[in-house]
Amino acid sequence: MDRIFSGVQPTGNLHLGNYLGAIRNWVSLQDRFECLFCVVDMHAITTWQEPAALAASTREVAAAMMAAGIDPGRHIIFNQSQVPGHAELAWIFNCVARMGWLNRMTQFKEKAGKNRENASVGLFAYPNLMAADILLYKGTHVPVGEDQKQHLELTRDIAQKFNNDFGVDFFPIVEPLIFGSATRVMSLRDGTAKMSKSDASDYSRINMTDDADAIARKIRKAKTDPHPLPASTDAFDGRPEAANLMGIFAALADTPVEDVCGRFAGQPFSTFKQELADLALATLAPMQDEMRRLMADPSHVDGVLRDGAARARGLAEPVLREVQDIVGFLRP
Ligand code: AQP
């Protein structure tokens, strides 16, 4: 069976974008692929994380995966730092990837901003660790959002160069798995910026832990424009907030955006926002209840992560041994 690796960073404020754009789609992959779903805590520390908050967020992301419907009995849920092979293979890839390749990565430029000299080396080398995450398990497919496409290209380049350098046909060339219906959820305060964990304004996102009042309030205060809702997606041009809110409605209702336009055409945002809030609550509440139940029992969540890490190590170890032989590392 083909194998999938995918991850979420435990950087706090897990939000509706992470759910609709990633975690929810992963649930549907479980019948077709052997899956590893990873809480990528080593990626998270490429920017500063308070230790206690990192541990809490790691449990929160694992709980969200389970509450969304990922079955840790059939597939692997684990946190990255518990499988040392990620760091070991990433080091080898640091020596395979070229500076010029990483210099071209737009996410580093965005995240480092003007303060490039002060960014961590880890943030610069982040794509090499991502390549190691996938190739450590000889992953064949990776579900990726638009924002991760460039990193996946790099994973393919690293696999290719490793194979060429050592004259082997060892690492697979990973295929992206793009969801036709995947939603890119934008900020509630600015329809041109993506909803993000690190946005300073909590009103920009719906957190997976927000209660009913917070969800309703944030949707009520979401930025709009002065016009009635459009009758078709053709009229979304220049109206990013309308496009975003109607896109979120469509994703939550699991229906095409055109149908949402048909239903609300000509209506004011106020009526639509009320219905959007009701729908968001009805859709998210069962999952949020389950997340709360799981997070109230941290030893259970830790047990799932521990078991997942043991299974992941079992898959990684033979791959790593072969890599060591190929590279010429003596194994006593
Ligand atoms: N706004 C979004 N819409 C759709 N999908 C999204 N993802 C993130 N934001 C959106 C997808 O969620 C998965 C996990 O993301 P991540 O933890 O690697 O974080 P990220 O992509 O860097 O984005 P975040 O969550 O907003 O974090 P910060 O603020 O730290 O950058 C990925 O599949 C991602 O595509």
mmCIF file of all heavy atoms in Angstrom, residues 6-11 15 17-18 20-22 26 40 107 111 126 143-145 147-148 183-186 194-199, ligand 1:
data_model
loop_
_atom_site.group_PDB
_atom_site.id
_atom_site.type_symbol
_atom_site.label_atom_id
_atom_site.label_comp_id
_atom_site.label_asym_id
_atom_site.label_seq_id
_atom_site.Cartn_x
_atom_site.Cartn_y
_atom_site.Cartn_z
ATOM 1 N N SER A 6 2.203 13.125 6.810
ATOM 2 C CA SER A 6 1.777 14.518 6.867
ATOM 3 C C SER A 6 1.886 15.039 8.290
ATOM 4 O O SER A 6 1.834 14.256 9.237
ATOM 5 C CB SER A 6 0.344 14.658 6.347
ATOM 6 O OG SER A 6 0.165 15.960 5.856
ATOM 7 N N GLY A 7 2.048 16.339 8.438
ATOM 8 C CA GLY A 7 2.278 16.871 9.782
ATOM 9 C C GLY A 7 1.618 18.208 10.045
ATOM 10 O O GLY A 7 1.242 18.931 9.131
ATOM 11 N N VAL A 8 1.475 18.484 11.328
ATOM 12 C CA VAL A 8 1.002 19.796 11.798
ATOM 13 C C VAL A 8 1.964 20.261 12.885
ATOM 14 O O VAL A 8 2.346 19.477 13.755
ATOM 15 C CB VAL A 8 -0.417 19.715 12.409
ATOM 16 C CG1 VAL A 8 -0.864 21.090 12.900
ATOM 17 C CG2 VAL A 8 -1.426 19.181 11.420
ATOM 18 N N GLN A 9 2.318 21.536 12.842
ATOM 19 C CA GLN A 9 3.212 22.072 13.878
ATOM 20 C C GLN A 9 2.423 22.409 15.149
ATOM 21 O O GLN A 9 1.401 23.077 15.049
ATOM 22 C CB GLN A 9 3.843 23.369 13.400
ATOM 23 C CG GLN A 9 4.730 23.221 12.210
ATOM 24 C CD GLN A 9 5.422 24.542 11.902
ATOM 25 O OE1 GLN A 9 6.282 24.984 12.641
ATOM 26 N NE2 GLN A 9 5.016 25.159 10.824
ATOM 27 N N PRO A 10 2.936 21.997 16.303
ATOM 28 C CA PRO A 10 2.256 22.358 17.549
ATOM 29 C C PRO A 10 2.683 23.740 18.024
ATOM 30 O O PRO A 10 3.346 23.882 19.054
ATOM 31 C CB PRO A 10 2.704 21.250 18.514
ATOM 32 C CG PRO A 10 4.065 20.868 18.034
ATOM 33 C CD PRO A 10 4.081 21.088 16.548
ATOM 34 N N THR A 11 2.309 24.751 17.253
ATOM 35 C CA THR A 11 2.751 26.114 17.574
ATOM 36 C C THR A 11 1.622 26.916 18.216
ATOM 37 O O THR A 11 1.673 28.140 18.255
ATOM 38 C CB THR A 11 3.275 26.821 16.302
ATOM 39 O OG1 THR A 11 2.459 26.444 15.188
ATOM 40 C CG2 THR A 11 4.693 26.443 16.004
ATOM 41 N N HIS A 15 -6.251 26.053 14.252
ATOM 42 C CA HIS A 15 -7.412 26.830 13.784
ATOM 43 C C HIS A 15 -8.204 26.136 12.686
ATOM 44 O O HIS A 15 -7.825 25.061 12.201
ATOM 45 C CB HIS A 15 -6.938 28.221 13.330
ATOM 46 C CG HIS A 15 -5.846 28.181 12.304
ATOM 47 N ND1 HIS A 15 -6.056 27.823 11.003
ATOM 48 C CD2 HIS A 15 -4.505 28.442 12.404
ATOM 49 C CE1 HIS A 15 -4.921 27.879 10.334
ATOM 50 N NE2 HIS A 15 -3.949 28.245 11.167
ATOM 51 N N GLY A 17 -8.490 26.761 9.651
ATOM 52 C CA GLY A 17 -7.738 26.529 8.409
ATOM 53 C C GLY A 17 -6.976 25.215 8.475
ATOM 54 O O GLY A 17 -6.965 24.443 7.513
ATOM 55 N N ASN A 18 -6.360 24.949 9.621
ATOM 56 C CA ASN A 18 -5.639 23.675 9.780
ATOM 57 C C ASN A 18 -6.621 22.497 9.644
ATOM 58 O O ASN A 18 -6.282 21.459 9.093
ATOM 59 C CB ASN A 18 -4.956 23.582 11.151
ATOM 60 C CG ASN A 18 -3.905 24.642 11.392
ATOM 61 O OD1 ASN A 18 -3.898 25.290 12.425
ATOM 62 N ND2 ASN A 18 -3.003 24.832 10.435
ATOM 63 N N LEU A 20 -9.904 22.547 8.103
ATOM 64 C CA LEU A 20 -10.547 22.411 6.781
ATOM 65 C C LEU A 20 -9.526 22.195 5.664
ATOM 66 O O LEU A 20 -9.809 21.527 4.678
ATOM 67 C CB LEU A 20 -11.381 23.657 6.473
ATOM 68 C CG LEU A 20 -12.629 23.866 7.338
ATOM 69 C CD1 LEU A 20 -13.325 25.171 6.949
ATOM 70 C CD2 LEU A 20 -13.606 22.700 7.221
ATOM 71 N N GLY A 21 -8.325 22.760 5.839
ATOM 72 C CA GLY A 21 -7.324 22.658 4.776
ATOM 73 C C GLY A 21 -6.465 21.409 4.890
ATOM 74 O O GLY A 21 -5.830 21.014 3.917
ATOM 75 N N ALA A 22 -6.435 20.798 6.064
ATOM 76 C CA ALA A 22 -5.528 19.652 6.227
ATOM 77 C C ALA A 22 -6.208 18.482 6.955
ATOM 78 O O ALA A 22 -6.622 17.513 6.315
ATOM 79 C CB ALA A 22 -4.270 20.092 6.965
ATOM 80 N N TRP A 26 -7.363 14.494 5.691
ATOM 81 C CA TRP A 26 -6.576 13.297 5.986
ATOM 82 C C TRP A 26 -7.467 12.123 6.382
ATOM 83 O O TRP A 26 -7.127 10.975 6.134
ATOM 84 C CB TRP A 26 -5.580 13.570 7.126
ATOM 85 C CG TRP A 26 -4.597 14.639 6.812
ATOM 86 C CD1 TRP A 26 -4.358 15.223 5.601
ATOM 87 C CD2 TRP A 26 -3.710 15.272 7.729
ATOM 88 N NE1 TRP A 26 -3.384 16.171 5.722
ATOM 89 C CE2 TRP A 26 -2.974 16.234 7.016
ATOM 90 C CE3 TRP A 26 -3.469 15.128 9.101
ATOM 91 C CZ2 TRP A 26 -2.002 17.033 7.612
ATOM 92 C CZ3 TRP A 26 -2.510 15.921 9.699
ATOM 93 C CH2 TRP A 26 -1.790 16.861 8.963
ATOM 94 N N VAL A 40 4.652 17.792 14.385
ATOM 95 C CA VAL A 40 6.059 18.075 14.072
ATOM 96 C C VAL A 40 6.634 19.113 15.041
ATOM 97 O O VAL A 40 6.826 20.284 14.717
ATOM 98 C CB VAL A 40 6.249 18.468 12.579
ATOM 99 C CG1 VAL A 40 6.108 17.228 11.699
ATOM 100 C CG2 VAL A 40 5.243 19.516 12.110
ATOM 101 N N GLN A 107 9.035 30.496 1.768
ATOM 102 C CA GLN A 107 8.511 30.491 3.147
ATOM 103 C C GLN A 107 9.550 31.013 4.135
ATOM 104 O O GLN A 107 9.211 31.706 5.091
ATOM 105 C CB GLN A 107 8.041 29.094 3.557
ATOM 106 C CG GLN A 107 7.338 29.129 4.898
ATOM 107 C CD GLN A 107 6.572 27.853 5.205
ATOM 108 O OE1 GLN A 107 5.651 27.465 4.490
ATOM 109 N NE2 GLN A 107 6.970 27.186 6.260
ATOM 110 N N LYS A 111 8.847 34.044 6.575
ATOM 111 C CA LYS A 111 8.872 33.875 8.038
ATOM 112 C C LYS A 111 10.029 34.634 8.679
ATOM 113 O O LYS A 111 9.894 35.119 9.794
ATOM 114 C CB LYS A 111 8.920 32.394 8.408
ATOM 115 C CG LYS A 111 7.618 31.682 8.087
ATOM 116 C CD LYS A 111 7.334 30.493 8.992
ATOM 117 C CE LYS A 111 5.882 30.048 8.815
ATOM 118 N NZ LYS A 111 5.501 28.876 9.560
ATOM 119 N N TYR A 126 14.711 24.132 7.529
ATOM 120 C CA TYR A 126 13.399 23.502 7.726
ATOM 121 C C TYR A 126 13.024 22.545 6.571
ATOM 122 O O TYR A 126 12.596 21.408 6.803
ATOM 123 C CB TYR A 126 12.389 24.645 7.870
ATOM 124 C CG TYR A 126 10.945 24.341 8.092
ATOM 125 C CD1 TYR A 126 10.334 24.672 9.306
ATOM 126 C CD2 TYR A 126 10.144 23.768 7.107
ATOM 127 C CE1 TYR A 126 8.985 24.431 9.520
ATOM 128 C CE2 TYR A 126 8.800 23.528 7.317
ATOM 129 C CZ TYR A 126 8.230 23.866 8.529
ATOM 130 O OH TYR A 126 6.896 23.622 8.736
ATOM 131 N N PRO A 143 0.046 14.836 1.178
ATOM 132 C CA PRO A 143 -1.013 15.813 0.945
ATOM 133 C C PRO A 143 -0.463 17.208 1.228
ATOM 134 O O PRO A 143 0.039 17.452 2.321
ATOM 135 C CB PRO A 143 -2.095 15.446 1.973
ATOM 136 C CG PRO A 143 -1.517 14.417 2.866
ATOM 137 C CD PRO A 143 -0.137 14.080 2.413
ATOM 138 N N VAL A 144 -0.493 18.078 0.253
ATOM 139 C CA VAL A 144 0.100 19.404 0.470
ATOM 140 C C VAL A 144 -0.864 20.522 0.101
ATOM 141 O O VAL A 144 -1.622 20.407 -0.850
ATOM 142 C CB VAL A 144 1.375 19.646 -0.378
ATOM 143 C CG1 VAL A 144 2.592 19.073 0.272
ATOM 144 C CG2 VAL A 144 1.216 19.175 -1.802
ATOM 145 N N GLY A 145 -0.766 21.581 0.859
ATOM 146 C CA GLY A 145 -1.459 22.811 0.503
ATOM 147 C C GLY A 145 -0.565 23.572 -0.468
ATOM 148 O O GLY A 145 0.624 23.247 -0.629
ATOM 149 N N ASP A 147 0.838 26.307 -0.131
ATOM 150 C CA ASP A 147 1.997 26.913 0.527
ATOM 151 C C ASP A 147 3.168 25.942 0.708
ATOM 152 O O ASP A 147 4.286 26.356 0.985
ATOM 153 C CB ASP A 147 1.582 27.505 1.892
ATOM 154 C CG ASP A 147 0.764 26.544 2.742
ATOM 155 O OD1 ASP A 147 0.286 25.524 2.189
ATOM 156 O OD2 ASP A 147 0.619 26.784 3.952
ATOM 157 N N GLN A 148 2.897 24.644 0.596
ATOM 158 C CA GLN A 148 3.965 23.668 0.829
ATOM 159 C C GLN A 148 4.511 23.058 -0.465
ATOM 160 O O GLN A 148 5.401 22.219 -0.427
ATOM 161 C CB GLN A 148 3.454 22.532 1.735
ATOM 162 C CG GLN A 148 3.199 22.966 3.181
ATOM 163 C CD GLN A 148 4.489 23.374 3.888
ATOM 164 O OE1 GLN A 148 5.565 22.903 3.543
ATOM 165 N NE2 GLN A 148 4.383 24.264 4.859
ATOM 166 N N THR A 183 -9.675 23.603 1.081
ATOM 167 C CA THR A 183 -10.018 25.010 1.268
ATOM 168 C C THR A 183 -8.823 25.762 1.817
ATOM 169 O O THR A 183 -8.197 25.304 2.773
ATOM 170 C CB THR A 183 -11.149 25.119 2.313
ATOM 171 O OG1 THR A 183 -12.127 24.157 1.999
ATOM 172 C CG2 THR A 183 -11.737 26.506 2.325
ATOM 173 N N ARG A 184 -8.512 26.883 1.219
ATOM 174 C CA ARG A 184 -7.512 27.767 1.802
ATOM 175 C C ARG A 184 -8.304 28.803 2.588
ATOM 176 O O ARG A 184 -9.018 29.632 2.002
ATOM 177 C CB ARG A 184 -6.685 28.404 0.686
ATOM 178 C CG ARG A 184 -5.514 29.193 1.196
ATOM 179 C CD ARG A 184 -4.525 29.420 0.064
ATOM 180 N NE ARG A 184 -3.596 30.489 0.346
ATOM 181 C CZ ARG A 184 -2.540 30.375 1.154
ATOM 182 N NH1 ARG A 184 -2.297 29.233 1.753
ATOM 183 N NH2 ARG A 184 -1.744 31.397 1.360
ATOM 184 N N VAL A 185 -8.215 28.715 3.885
ATOM 185 C CA VAL A 185 -9.016 29.594 4.734
ATOM 186 C C VAL A 185 -8.220 30.858 5.018
ATOM 187 O O VAL A 185 -7.062 30.794 5.426
ATOM 188 C CB VAL A 185 -9.384 28.883 6.061
ATOM 189 C CG1 VAL A 185 -10.228 29.798 6.938
ATOM 190 C CG2 VAL A 185 -10.118 27.581 5.776
ATOM 191 N N MET A 186 -8.844 32.003 4.777
ATOM 192 C CA MET A 186 -8.136 33.268 4.957
ATOM 193 C C MET A 186 -8.519 33.906 6.289
ATOM 194 O O MET A 186 -9.497 33.510 6.934
ATOM 195 C CB MET A 186 -8.447 34.216 3.787
ATOM 196 C CG MET A 186 -8.277 33.595 2.406
ATOM 197 S SD MET A 186 -6.669 32.801 2.155
ATOM 198 C CE MET A 186 -5.688 34.219 1.697
ATOM 199 N N LYS A 194 -3.578 34.514 4.804
ATOM 200 C CA LYS A 194 -4.129 33.225 5.238
ATOM 201 C C LYS A 194 -4.369 33.216 6.752
ATOM 202 O O LYS A 194 -3.657 33.892 7.506
ATOM 203 C CB LYS A 194 -3.235 32.067 4.791
ATOM 204 C CG LYS A 194 -2.074 31.760 5.666
ATOM 205 C CD LYS A 194 -1.488 30.376 5.333
ATOM 206 C CE LYS A 194 -0.404 30.075 6.347
ATOM 207 N NZ LYS A 194 -0.078 28.711 6.546
ATOM 208 N N MET A 195 -5.399 32.484 7.141
ATOM 209 C CA MET A 195 -5.647 32.306 8.574
ATOM 210 C C MET A 195 -4.428 31.597 9.143
ATOM 211 O O MET A 195 -3.973 30.597 8.585
ATOM 212 C CB MET A 195 -6.916 31.480 8.792
ATOM 213 C CG MET A 195 -7.319 31.363 10.254
ATOM 214 S SD MET A 195 -8.878 30.462 10.494
ATOM 215 C CE MET A 195 -10.103 31.681 10.049
ATOM 216 N N SER A 196 -3.891 32.125 10.239
ATOM 217 C CA SER A 196 -2.597 31.625 10.691
ATOM 218 C C SER A 196 -2.525 31.567 12.212
ATOM 219 O O SER A 196 -3.104 32.410 12.905
ATOM 220 C CB SER A 196 -1.526 32.567 10.120
ATOM 221 O OG SER A 196 -0.376 32.534 10.890
ATOM 222 N N LYS A 197 -1.794 30.566 12.710
ATOM 223 C CA LYS A 197 -1.639 30.409 14.162
ATOM 224 C C LYS A 197 -0.912 31.606 14.760
ATOM 225 O O LYS A 197 -1.133 31.964 15.903
ATOM 226 C CB LYS A 197 -0.802 29.159 14.475
ATOM 227 C CG LYS A 197 -1.361 27.847 13.969
ATOM 228 C CD LYS A 197 -0.584 26.708 14.623
ATOM 229 C CE LYS A 197 -0.742 25.406 13.879
ATOM 230 N NZ LYS A 197 0.330 25.151 12.900
ATOM 231 N N SER A 198 0.009 32.167 13.956
ATOM 232 C CA SER A 198 0.886 33.190 14.517
ATOM 233 C C SER A 198 0.360 34.616 14.324
ATOM 234 O O SER A 198 1.025 35.560 14.732
ATOM 235 C CB SER A 198 2.281 33.050 13.911
ATOM 236 O OG SER A 198 2.175 33.043 12.504
ATOM 237 N N ASP A 199 -0.825 34.780 13.728
ATOM 238 C CA ASP A 199 -1.378 36.139 13.598
ATOM 239 C C ASP A 199 -1.611 36.724 14.987
ATOM 240 O O ASP A 199 -2.182 36.064 15.868
ATOM 241 C CB ASP A 199 -2.701 36.073 12.811
ATOM 242 C CG ASP A 199 -3.152 37.455 12.350
ATOM 243 O OD1 ASP A 199 -3.098 38.406 13.160
ATOM 244 O OD2 ASP A 199 -3.551 37.572 11.179
HETATM 245 N N1 AQP B 1 -5.268 29.078 6.458
HETATM 246 C C1 AQP B 1 -5.130 27.825 6.048
HETATM 247 N N2 AQP B 1 -5.992 27.291 5.157
HETATM 248 C C2 AQP B 1 -5.851 26.010 4.762
HETATM 249 N N3 AQP B 1 -4.896 25.172 5.213
HETATM 250 C C3 AQP B 1 -4.022 25.655 6.105
HETATM 251 N N4 AQP B 1 -2.967 25.106 6.743
HETATM 252 C C4 AQP B 1 -2.402 26.024 7.542
HETATM 253 N N5 AQP B 1 -3.065 27.184 7.461
HETATM 254 C C5 AQP B 1 -4.072 26.996 6.578
HETATM 255 C C6 AQP B 1 -2.538 23.716 6.566
HETATM 256 O O1 AQP B 1 -2.481 23.104 7.846
HETATM 257 C C7 AQP B 1 -1.446 22.125 7.847
HETATM 258 C C8 AQP B 1 -0.590 22.298 9.060
HETATM 259 O O2 AQP B 1 0.009 23.555 9.027
HETATM 260 P P1 AQP B 1 1.309 23.842 9.859
HETATM 261 O O3 AQP B 1 1.113 23.447 11.259
HETATM 262 O O4 AQP B 1 2.487 23.250 9.181
HETATM 263 O O5 AQP B 1 1.404 25.408 9.865
HETATM 264 P P2 AQP B 1 1.547 26.444 8.697
HETATM 265 O O6 AQP B 1 1.239 25.867 7.363
HETATM 266 O O7 AQP B 1 2.870 27.118 8.864
HETATM 267 O O8 AQP B 1 0.385 27.483 8.979
HETATM 268 P P3 AQP B 1 -0.227 27.995 10.309
HETATM 269 O O9 AQP B 1 -1.056 26.918 10.923
HETATM 270 O O10 AQP B 1 -0.947 29.237 10.077
HETATM 271 O O11 AQP B 1 0.999 28.311 11.254
HETATM 272 P P4 AQP B 1 1.955 29.590 11.278
HETATM 273 O O12 AQP B 1 1.153 30.763 11.722
HETATM 274 O O13 AQP B 1 2.966 29.184 12.323
HETATM 275 O O14 AQP B 1 2.528 29.780 9.912
HETATM 276 C C9 AQP B 1 -0.664 22.283 6.548
HETATM 277 O O15 AQP B 1 -1.069 21.244 5.661
HETATM 278 C C10 AQP B 1 -1.117 23.626 6.028
HETATM 279 O O16 AQP B 1 -1.107 23.675 4.594
#
